[in-house]
Amino acid sequence: MALETWLAFFVACWIISLSPGAGAIASMASGLQYGFSRGYWTALGLQLGLLLQIAIVAAGVGAVLATSALAFTLIKWFGVLYLLYLALRQWQAPPAPVLDERAPRPTGRPLSLVLRGLLINVSNPKAVVFMLAVLPQFINPAQPLLPQYGVMALTMVGVDLVVMAGYTGLAAKVLRLLRSPGQQRLVNRSFAGLFAGAAGLLALVKRSST
């Protein structure tokens, strides 16, 4: 991949990652609830989902998803239901007042948080179709494809890890400012509303609009 092509793709990755979405909401929710060191496991799960999406596009399966109404619809509604499930869990999350920086935070199992991030990304067919439209624009068909997809995968994951670290860390800092159960309950329910909103937006996605 030529340097100028990679630089253009690098800029595009920042724009894509910084765009608010379900992944950003999940990272902030995990940072808020568990703190940075534990909540960042969700971001790692998001990257596994991202790698799987890139692999699907590289393997050509993404073209099938883009043309199959049934496959697109099944994955879309799985994503909608999962985001609604996360909204319910966030709404029901018990408040854990933080009195000082040494106060204990709730603990989440790393594997569970990784799985949460993975499912959020893989259950978004729009993302696969989007990558199917974007990634080939940076591919030189005269050169081996696998190394090029490998470079793009590393670039996208690297940028997204930085961005999600920012989202997770910002929310973890906010957690320290919450001094009462009422404040934490309000924030938890705000994130629940964001998850529900993301589910609603995904439900409105139509294959023909890609």
Side-chain angles (χ1 to χ4, degrees):
M1 179 179 290
L3 178 59
E4 58 272 19
T5 302
W6 178 83
L7 288 174
F9 181 72
F10 181 67
V11 172
C13 287
W14 281 100
I15 296 173
I16 294 169
S17 292
L18 288 170
S19 302
I25 296 170
S27 292
M28 289 188 289
S30 292
L32 178 71
Q33 190 169 4
Y34 304 113
F36 179 82
S37 60
R38 186 56 61 95
Y40 197 56
W41 286 99
T42 298
L44 297 179
L46 289 169
Q47 305 320 307
L48 291 179
L50 179 59
L51 287 173
L52 182 58
Q53 289 173 335
I54 295 173
I56 288 173
V57 172
V61 180
V64 176
L65 179 60
T67 57
S68 172
L70 177 60
F72 188 95
T73 300
L74 289 175
I75 295 176
K76 182 185 79 170
W77 286 106
F78 171 77
V80 169
L81 292 175
Y82 185 66
L83 287 171
L84 289 175
Y85 164 76
L86 292 180
L88 179 62
R89 288 289 301 273
Q90 196 70 35
W91 183 275
Q92 296 175 335
V98 179
L99 301 179
D100 57 51
E101 295 187 2
R102 297 171 298 175
R105 292 176 175 175
T107 58
R109 292 179 297 175
L111 183 59
S112 176
L113 295 176
V114 168
L115 183 61
R116 172 189 290 193
L118 173 65
L119 288 176
I120 286 174
N121 263 354
V122 300
S123 63
N124 185 357
K126 187 76 171 182
V128 175
V129 176
F130 175 78
M131 288 190 185
L132 187 64
V134 172
L135 296 188
Q137 308 302 317
F138 298 92
I139 289 291
N140 183 350
Q143 297 180 358
L145 298 182
L146 186 58
Q148 295 182 77
Y149 275 112
V151 169
M152 289 193 294
L154 290 175
T155 303
M156 289 192 75
V157 168
V159 169
D160 207 53
L161 281 172
V162 173
V163 173
M164 294 307 145
Y167 283 132
T168 306
L170 177 62
K173 292 291 185 181
V174 171
L175 179 60
R176 296 181 180 180
L177 303 178
L178 304 180
R179 301 297 180 183
S180 72
Q183 288 174 319
Q184 290 201 27
R185 188 179 295 111
L186 176 62
V187 174
N188 282 336
R189 292 183 176 180
S190 296
F191 274 105
L194 291 174
F195 275 123
L201 290 175
L202 183 58
L204 294 175
V205 167
K206 298 182 183 299
R207 186 174 61 89
S208 59
S209 66
T210 61

